[in-house]
Amino acid sequence: MNVVTRRSVCPFDCPDTCGMLVQVENGKAVGVQGDPLHPFSRGTLCPKMRRYEKSVHSPLRLTTPLKRTGAKGSGGFVPISWDEAIATIAERWRAIIATHGAEAILPYSYAGTMGIVQRNAGHPFFHRMGASRLDRTICSPAKGAGWEAVMGKTATPPPESAGKSDLLILWGINAAATSIHFMNQVREVRQRGGEIWLIDTYETPTASAADRTFLVRPGSDGALALGMMHVIARDGLADRDFIAAQVQGFDELAAGVLPEFTPGHCAAITGLPPATIEEMARAYAAAKAPFIRLGSGLSRYGNGAMTVRSVCCLPALVGAYGKEGGGCFPDTATGAAFPMEILTREDLMPGAARLVNMNQLGHALNELDAPRVMGLYVYHSNPAAVTPDQNAVLTGLSREDLFTVVHERFMTDTARYADIVLPATSSLEHSDIYRSYGTYCIQRARAVVDPVGESKCNWEVFSLLAKAMGFGEEIFTLTPDQMIDRLLAVPKPLRAGIDEEALAEGRPVTLAARGGGFLTPSGKIEILNERLEEKLPRYLPTHEEQGRLPFRLMTAPTPYALNATFYEREELRESQGGMQLKMNPEDAAGKGLDDGAEVVAWNGLGEVTFRLQVTPKVPRGVVVAEGVWWLAYAPGERSVNALTSQRLTDQGGGSTFYDNRVDVRAGN
Ligand SMILES: Nc1nc2c(c(=O)[nH]1)N[C@H]1C(S)=C(S)[C@@H](COP(=O)(O)OP(=O)(O)OC[C@H]3O[C@@H](n4cnc5c(=O)[nH]c(N)nc54)[C@H](O)[C@@H]3O)O[C@H]1N2
Ligand SMILES: Nc1nc2c(c(=O)[nH]1)N[C@H]1C(S)=C(S)[C@@H](COP(=O)(O)OP(=O)(O)OC[C@H]3O[C@@H](n4cnc5c(=O)[nH]c(N)nc54)[C@H](O)[C@@H]3O)O[C@H]1N2
Ligand SMILES: [Mo]
């Protein structure tokens, strides 16, 4: 046997961006392991990636281009050649552009991989075309907006620094599922005698690693943060020296906002007892270096940006931003490490093209006019599953007059609605360069196995489409590796001093986290931000606070999938125990519903069938659906996003995946 080991990177949309070693035999992956050289993931992989070769060489991989023969959504296709596929697409697009204009074509993509070149491969092409632009806001722009309101462009501390905290707060993050290597920091804090808190809306698997778990009402964290600040200000626990030197607006907050947020008032909003809020505030203020690892869960609400803004003020009050092991970590922003403009090429745009919010794809396909969307090109994403308001999305995708192309590894829910399906390589089959949103590592990966079937990478497909459309710019003639070389040829301060040779050889390289104070216009932490309409934080209600249906629906991630990725793997679907809805025992009894029963969750947007799991880990009034299931494996006709809405966050145009209400009844 001639098995060789090659270095690669986990490409998926996860903060850890783990290093991987791949065993390759005859151009195929036969096994993968964690790369012990990777400074953050340190040689271990999550349950999904431990058998990545099963996804890469899955019998369900698409191997040729396909042309639709049956009705949209039916899955009836015949194989065609790449030449025919590319020629058909170019011909249809030319006709659409001639009749409706280029803005009638909409690209739709997100984070099929985090590789910089493949992920952005469509940007130069669609900019050159003058197509509608997509506002890629499905994940956590509200979190970014909340952080930026207070901290501006301040760099976040390295995640490893959390290990030095004496009070580590996991706030709205199920780290045991979604950032498993951050649990190394959790263990380190524990070993040093520090304390771990989890703040969530139900007891996730991460709760077992926490000393204390605080369950709040969905979307109420802003009130918790304001309540804690009320106690800190009231009892003189604030770090006056730090505030005087580094913080703008504490006095305005203390005088104008905090008086209202008594523990009693905040208890009524959050559901936590007043004494608990007092206790949390005192413990937080007493900690030497409290560290908040901020997830995105609390930001996916109508009040998400304001919630994050309030939470980000807390460390300022106690001076935690100035202490090693203290502060707040929302994610790392490492985009400035690369000259993205030479890749995305906004300069190729013929004029200002309209911007379509990706959370409102249903609206865009069904209602948007002048021009109507007539062509949709989906790559690196599975909107029929992951995008809110699934019924609206599927109605749009069913339009007979919509020409849809889907570039995919699998016959996903979205691909079923395509006119033309193109087979995509997996990350082991193409080159890319990766940065992370949870660490300061960057790493280059070269193709380590042969493409499966006739699959092609995003970059190559856009080169072919550019040729067919007559776009002659040089960028469309480059290979992915040439594009990576160009990105690396431009020096950037964030990459200064890195080990270039290690990077070129595909080893993980850590960027030096930027120091240098608080990067806000005032140079201080801005509790008071004069540039915003809301100059100070306050409590905003969620969309669903006034709703009538009895349950708040959490649509949380599962350890055994990543968004709608990995559902091709039967063993991972089984680990999830099927598509379940978790409910509190008293609520289930009240409804006369038994554990294991088929139930239907419904609201004004849709109905979804689940298997009921009755569990005390979920508080009363909340139900939880983990995982974004493919329709093919759902017990009913729809999956969880038939219950989520197209409404946006208060800032950033973000998704509001957790801001929902439903009722639940027995299934058929
Ligand atoms: N295994 C796995 N890993 C993943 C993913 C996955 O689907 N599966 N997804 C990847 C992606 S795309 C992302 S963006 C990240 C997501 O990672 P993050 O968004 O940082 O956090 P999550 O771990 O998804 O946790 C969201 C948590 O917030 C909780 N929550 C919801 N509403 C509230 C609230 O109002 N208050 C509080 N305090 N908590 C609330 C939910 O119950 C859930 O436990 O993870 C990535 N990693
Ligand atoms: N209910 C609910 N919905 C959610 C979430 C939630 O927590 N709850 N999470 C949301 C979040 S945080 C996010 S970020 C979004 C994620 O939304 P998406 O990024 O659309 O997520 P995925 O389901 O991972 O879909 C990625 C698709 O890209 C394909 N792919 C992988 N590699 C390649 C490649 O090289 N080329 C091409 N062309 N395709 C490739 C994969 O096969 C997969 O089908 O989902 C959101 N949706
Ligand atoms: Mo995400």
Side-chain angles (χ1 to χ4, degrees):
M1 290 295 122
N2 186 18
V3 179
V4 289
T5 299
R6 298 266 185 257
R7 183 158 269 130
S8 191
V9 183
C10 174
F12 292 111
D13 185 355
C14 167
D16 293 12
T17 323
C18 301
M20 279 188 341
L21 298 175
V22 186
Q23 278 76 53
V24 180
E25 186 182 359
N26 292 329
K28 285 180 77 165
V30 292
V32 298
Q33 274 122 37
D35 182 356
L37 210 64
H38 193 275
F40 191 69
S41 58
R42 304 189 217 162
T44 59
L45 295 174
C46 70
K48 312 175 291 295
M49 287 305 282
R50 243 168 252 156
R51 303 300 308 276
Y52 186 39
E53 76 280 4
K54 287 182 131 193
S55 290
V56 171
H57 299 293
S58 161
L60 298 177
R61 280 287 300 273
L62 297 169
T63 55
T64 66
L66 302 170
K67 182 169 82 175
R68 180 168 67 87
T69 52
K72 290 204 174 190
S74 69
F77 291 96
V78 290
I80 54 171
S81 69
W82 271 102
D83 284 348
E84 183 182 346
I86 296 291
T88 308
I89 297 167
E91 186 187 326
R92 288 293 299 268
W93 280 352
R94 273 201 210 91
I96 291 172
I97 293 168
T99 315
H100 305 274
E103 278 184 314
I105 295 172
L106 176 69
Y108 199 92
S109 71
Y110 200 63
T113 74
M114 296 291 286
I116 290 169
V117 168
Q118 302 295 349
R119 184 179 183 182
N120 292 293
H123 285 53
F125 179 84
F126 287 111
H127 287 153
R128 166 70 177 77
M129 178 187 269
S132 285
R133 290 172 305 140
L134 188 72
D135 203 6
R136 292 175 170 81
T137 50
I138 202 165
C139 188
S140 51
K143 178 160 106 174
W147 166 264
E148 205 173 322
V150 183
M151 302 300 287
K153 302 283 178 204
T154 306
T156 52
E160 291 88 349
S161 69
K164 303 203 171 62
S165 170
D166 58 337
L167 174 59
L168 175 53
I169 306 179
L170 300 165
W171 201 326
I173 181 166
N174 181 6
T178 61
S179 183
I180 65 165
H181 298 94
F182 191 77
M183 298 307 277
N184 289 331
Q185 275 66 58
V186 170
R187 278 184 284 275
E188 195 183 327
V189 170
R190 159 90 23 82
Q191 277 158 12
R192 288 163 173 266
E195 196 167 316
I196 317 290
W197 292 357
L198 173 69
I199 306 177
D200 206 300
T201 50
Y202 73 104
E203 253 181 70
T204 63
T206 305
S208 60
D211 298 295
R212 312 225 19 208
T213 295
F214 302 97
L215 299 186
V216 295
R217 289 208 186 104
S220 70
D221 305 79
L224 173 58
L226 291 164
M228 288 171 70
M229 290 192 278
H230 171 100
V231 175
I232 290 169
R234 183 197 67 193
D235 295 356
L237 303 175
D239 183 338
R240 279 290 179 179
D241 293 341
F242 182 83
I243 290 172
Q246 310 281 9
V247 180
Q248 165 177 301
F250 171 71
D251 291 335
E252 290 85 343
L253 182 82
V257 179
L258 295 182
E260 183 194 347
F261 289 92
T262 61
H265 179 61
C266 296
I269 301 172
T270 60
L272 291 171
T276 301
I277 297 172
E278 297 256 3
E279 193 196 336
M280 289 173 84
R282 279 196 297 272
Y284 184 78
K288 289 197 188 70
F291 189 101
I292 298 172
R293 175 64 174 94
L294 193 61
S296 305
L298 70 173
S299 78
R300 296 189 181 121
Y301 290 87
N303 62 2
M306 189 59 102
T307 297
V308 170
R309 186 176 170 190
S310 303
V311 172
C312 289
C313 291
L314 255 178
L317 264 63
V318 299
Y321 282 120
K323 292 178 184 154
E324 196 186 5
C328 177
F329 181 95
D331 34 41
T332 52
T334 50
F338 302 99
M340 294 304 289
E341 66 286 353
I342 71 166
L343 168 59
T344 59
R345 296 298 304 269
E346 289 187 10
D347 59 297
L348 294 179
M349 287 196 288
R354 75 176 164 196
L355 194 60
V356 174
N357 188 304
M358 71 185 298
N359 297 304
Q360 298 178 325
L361 178 65
H363 168 79
L365 295 181
N366 296 314
E367 281 122 39
L368 202 60
D369 244 324
R372 194 158 163 74
V373 176
M374 301 304 293
L376 177 71
Y377 185 93
V378 181
Y379 65 105
H380 251 48
S381 185
N382 182 3
V386 302
T387 304
D389 200 353
Q390 186 176 54
N391 280 311
V393 172
L394 294 181
T395 301
L397 290 174
S398 306
R399 273 175 47 201
E400 271 304 326
D401 63 342
L402 177 72
F403 175 66
T404 302
V405 181
V406 178
H407 185 203
E408 246 302 342
R409 298 178 306 157
F410 295 104
M411 183 53 73
T412 56
D413 297 334
T414 311
R416 284 181 185 279
Y417 287 84
D419 294 279
I420 302 280
V421 179
L422 304 172
T425 43
S426 78
S427 65
L428 296 188
E429 300 150 57
H430 60 237
S431 296
D432 216 328
I433 182 157
Y434 295 86
R435 65 182 179 86
S436 162
Y437 61 93
T439 79
Y440 281 98
C441 272
I442 59 172
Q443 192 169 357
R444 182 171 185 165
R446 291 189 171 76
V448 295
V449 303
D450 299 333
V452 167
E454 296 175 19
S455 59
K456 293 186 189 295
C457 71
N458 297 355
W459 188 265
E460 185 182 354
V461 174
F462 284 111
S463 298
L464 293 173
L465 288 168
K467 201 165 169 215
M469 294 298 289
F471 300 166
E473 285 75 7
E474 191 230 18
I475 188 168
F476 301 120
T477 66
L478 301 178
T479 65
D481 276 304
Q482 287 170 330
M483 189 66 232
I484 297 167
D485 291 341
R486 294 222 177 159
L487 290 169
L488 293 177
V490 179
K492 284 281 174 178
L494 202 47
R495 288 207 324 279
I498 59 163
D499 184 343
E500 301 281 354
E501 196 181 310
L503 186 64
E505 287 171 4
R507 281 179 275 144
V509 169
T510 305
L511 302 169
R514 278 173 298 162
F518 302 111
L519 302 184
T520 56
S522 65
K524 292 188 170 190
I525 298 167
E526 297 186 338
I527 291 179
L528 175 75
N529 184 331
E530 295 279 3
R531 296 174 308 284
L532 296 176
E533 198 177 316
E534 302 257 15
K535 302 208 179 322
L536 287 166
R538 66 183 179 102
Y539 182 71
L540 291 182
T542 63
H543 287 310
E544 288 300 351
E545 218 149 85
Q546 310 305 327
R548 293 229 170 84
L549 299 175
F551 298 102
R552 304 290 296 262
L553 170 68
M554 302 290 101
T555 64
T558 161
Y560 304 106
L562 185 126
N563 306 318
T565 291
F566 291 109
Y567 282 87
E568 71 279 2
R569 299 257 296 277
E570 189 180 0
E571 88 279 13
L572 291 174
R573 297 196 304 272
E574 279 171 7
S575 297
Q576 280 199 56
M579 188 170 131
Q580 297 186 340
L581 188 74
K582 298 182 202 287
M583 184 186 271
N584 180 275
E586 287 176 47
D587 283 336
K591 288 260 170 199
L593 298 169
D594 295 327
D595 187 61
E598 199 176 280
V599 296
V600 175
W602 60 272
N603 61 22
L605 296 167
E607 298 196 352
V608 182
T609 304
F610 296 92
R611 187 72 53 194
L612 190 69
Q613 189 195 3
V614 177
T615 165
K617 291 180 190 292
V618 174
R620 292 203 66 175
V622 170
V623 287
V624 180
E626 291 177 354
V628 182
W629 283 70
W630 288 3
L631 295 176
Y633 303 119
E637 306 272 301
R638 292 290 180 264
S639 55
V640 66
N641 280 320
L643 301 168
T644 60
S645 88
Q646 300 183 50
R647 285 178 307 216
L648 303 177
T649 51
D650 48 337
Q651 299 282 316
S655 59
T656 56
F657 283 114
Y658 296 105
D659 200 345
N660 315 293
R661 272 178 188 272
V662 295
D663 202 348
V664 181
R665 63 167 194 262
N668 305 313

